[in-house]
Amino acid sequence: MRQSRLASTLFAGLLAATSMLHSTPIHAQETGLSGFLHRAGAAVSQTATAVTHSQSAPQRVDPAGATTDGPYFRPTNPSHGGRFAGLFTNFRPGLTSWPRAALTFTRFGTQLPCWTVTARIWQSATIHTDEVFDICNSPITATDALGNTATVDLGQGLQLANMLLPAQNLEGATHAPSAPTRGTGPNPPLQLFSVPVTGPTADAFNVQYRQMLLRLSWASHFVNPDSPSINSTIGKLLWTAGFDPNGNMDRHAP
């Protein structure tokens, strides 16, 4: 009975992905079958997660997560922001496989609107620097060439965040072999951002994690802010290295 329910729910997720394909503008980088598979995979993955975590009492999760006001990128060390902000601005597809950045979350939780991150930024296979900053679930603003400022639409932001989760290291594009285990580099894991999360707060955690990934990708220009989209074929490398268990505020919550 449970297998039948899982199969029917996954099929519903696939139908949802098909509906999204027809109702959402597709960026040039996500056209055709590739674009559909990104969307279908994200929808089916989310549906399966909902099934596996709702066998007892379903969680009520705010899709916006825990939010706050102010800047979404708040540098700590160095205080002026270092290299991570705009790291991929001048990235040259096909001509280089550097820089790269591995993200370690050192303070995080479902109810924390700001997570602390250490980014290990690789300039080459042997040279790297570490930067520490807070990334916050606050509005993303963008400024155009005329100085006009606009806030990124929440729906568009969530769509981009969902596209990040299935992103993989494509060795032919990145010129970087996949590391056998997830770590700080210089080589990335095959799955750049997808990490297993279990427990009663898994759904809420994944919501907040997606919000943070979106803002990390936006701040570094892993996502193209001029035409917000995900393009995994041009060789940019940003990935989640891991989570410091001592920084898990959900475990320390009363």
Side-chain angles (χ1 to χ4, degrees):
M1 182 70 178
R2 182 177 177 180
Q3 290 180 340
S4 176
R5 181 188 172 196
L6 177 60
S8 61
T9 310
L10 292 178
F11 182 68
L14 185 58
L15 290 179
T18 306
S19 175
M20 181 166 57
L21 176 66
H22 289 288
S23 62
T24 305
I26 301 176
H27 297 287
Q29 295 92 333
E30 291 292 333
T31 55
L33 180 60
S34 175
F36 171 77
L37 291 179
H38 274 295
R39 289 164 169 77
V44 172
S45 175
Q46 289 173 346
T47 305
T49 300
V51 170
T52 56
H53 290 291
S54 63
Q55 298 304 316
S56 53
Q59 292 180 314
R60 296 178 61 87
V61 179
D62 185 343
T67 61
T68 187
D69 297 322
Y72 66 89
F73 180 76
R74 306 179 185 185
T76 302
N77 184 21
S79 58
H80 58 76
R83 296 187 62 209
F84 186 79
L87 179 65
F88 298 107
T89 301
N90 297 317
F91 186 85
R92 297 174 296 170
L95 299 178
T96 180
S97 59
W98 312 98
R100 307 173 184 174
L103 308 170
T104 301
F105 295 90
T106 58
R107 188 172 186 271
F108 52 91
T110 58
Q111 300 303 313
L112 290 183
C114 294
W115 291 10
T116 302
V117 181
T118 296
R120 176 154 292 184
I121 300 172
W122 292 90
Q123 299 171 241
S124 69
T126 57
I127 300 175
H128 68 77
T129 56
D130 289 349
E131 297 181 5
V132 181
F133 50 84
D134 282 351
I135 197 75
C136 299
N137 187 3
S138 56
I140 300 176
T141 57
T143 303
D144 65 17
L146 301 179
N148 301 314
T149 301
T151 300
V152 175
D153 176 77
L154 176 61
Q156 181 188 40
L158 288 175
Q159 180 186 357
L160 288 171
N162 288 336
M163 288 181 181
L164 284 167
L165 289 180
Q168 295 185 348
N169 174 41
L170 303 180
E171 296 183 7
T174 63
H175 308 293
S178 296
T181 58
R182 187 174 297 277
T184 56
N187 292 327
L190 174 62
Q191 301 288 341
L192 299 181
F193 304 111
S194 180
V195 294
V197 179
T198 60
T201 61
D203 290 343
F205 183 90
N206 284 326
V207 166
Q208 196 71 346
Y209 178 49
R210 285 195 295 268
Q211 295 288 0
M212 298 308 178
L213 285 182
L214 172 63
R215 285 153 179 80
L216 288 162
S217 300
W218 197 281
S220 63
H221 289 192
F222 184 79
V223 166
N224 180 5
D226 296 325
S227 177
S229 55
I230 306 298
N231 184 356
S232 59
T233 66
I234 65 174
K236 295 178 183 178
L237 277 176
L238 177 72
W239 70 91
T240 295
F243 295 81
D244 182 351
N246 294 323
N248 185 354
M249 294 299 103
D250 290 339
R251 293 174 55 187
H252 305 303

